Amino acid sequence: ASSVEGTVPRVAHPRSPVERVVDDVLDRRYRRGAMVGQGTVGTVYRGQHVSLGRDMAIKEVRSVFQFASYLRRDEIVRRLRQTVETHARLVHPNIIQVLDQNSEREYPYFVMEYAVGGNLRERLTAEKEGRLPLPQAIRVLTQICYALDYAHAQDVLHIGLKPENVLFDGQGNVKLADFGFARI
């Protein structure tokens, strides 16, 4: 890829069709790709572990600092780190796995497994009547209940359950995300 004056050179990564910014590597471990979502706390990017070539999601926390300016930065970072660590302890087939974090950067980030199947909001929007067929709805609701039951047994509450936090893996299984992030 060549550089045109005033633009950042881009190359396509051989393992993924997503365009990558050449030097957008976090901590020499994670290559950040295209944005896949944005919320109150931060922005989620498709990412890849540099040495393993494994796809993952990277959530960079920027916007929370704008919304919570009355709190000191170190307090926000402490809450973020604690929330991410709590979520990371939830190891269950229906909960997104948190793999890593770096809260020492200007804009902290954490790394999670990448849910290739999108989220429940996207699935509801794609349906003609805005709702899932009954058998699929029962499966989704049951898997959400399994995940919440497990988390509650660990004394962890979700607090921000919404269709955007109900993600899906490649087989259509539920993967709940963002446990406790509403508290930050």
Side-chain angles (χ1 to χ4, degrees), residues 141-161:
L141 181 60
T142 301
Q143 290 182 1
I144 291 170
C145 289
Y146 284 144
L148 292 175
D149 183 58
Y150 174 80
H152 293 172
Q154 310 303 311
D155 293 324
V156 177
L157 301 177
H158 192 287
I159 299 176
L161 191 58

Side-chain angles (χ1 to χ4, degrees), residues 27 60-62 65 73 77 80 102-109:
D27 298 334
E60 187 177 59
V61 179
R62 286 183 184 240
F65 295 110
R73 178 183 171 77
V77 170
L80 173 68
N102 185 341
S103 58
E104 304 303 319
R105 294 175 54 94
E106 178 183 4
Y107 296 114
Y109 71 89

Side-chain angles (χ1 to χ4, degrees), residues 21-71:
V21 176
V22 172
D23 290 321
D24 201 8
V25 176
L26 304 172
D27 298 334
R28 303 171 73 186
R29 292 183 302 199
Y30 305 107
R31 186 175 318 280
R32 183 173 42 198
M35 181 180 82
V36 293
Q38 192 164 17
T40 307
V41 174
T43 304
V44 179
Y45 299 91
R46 185 167 181 168
Q48 190 172 66
H49 191 279
V50 172
S51 65
L52 298 177
R54 180 179 177 189
D55 287 337
M56 47 195 48
I58 300 168
K59 187 166 200 170
E60 187 177 59
V61 179
R62 286 183 184 240
S63 52
V64 73
F65 295 110
Q66 299 165 355
F67 293 119
S69 60
Y70 61 91
L71 292 173

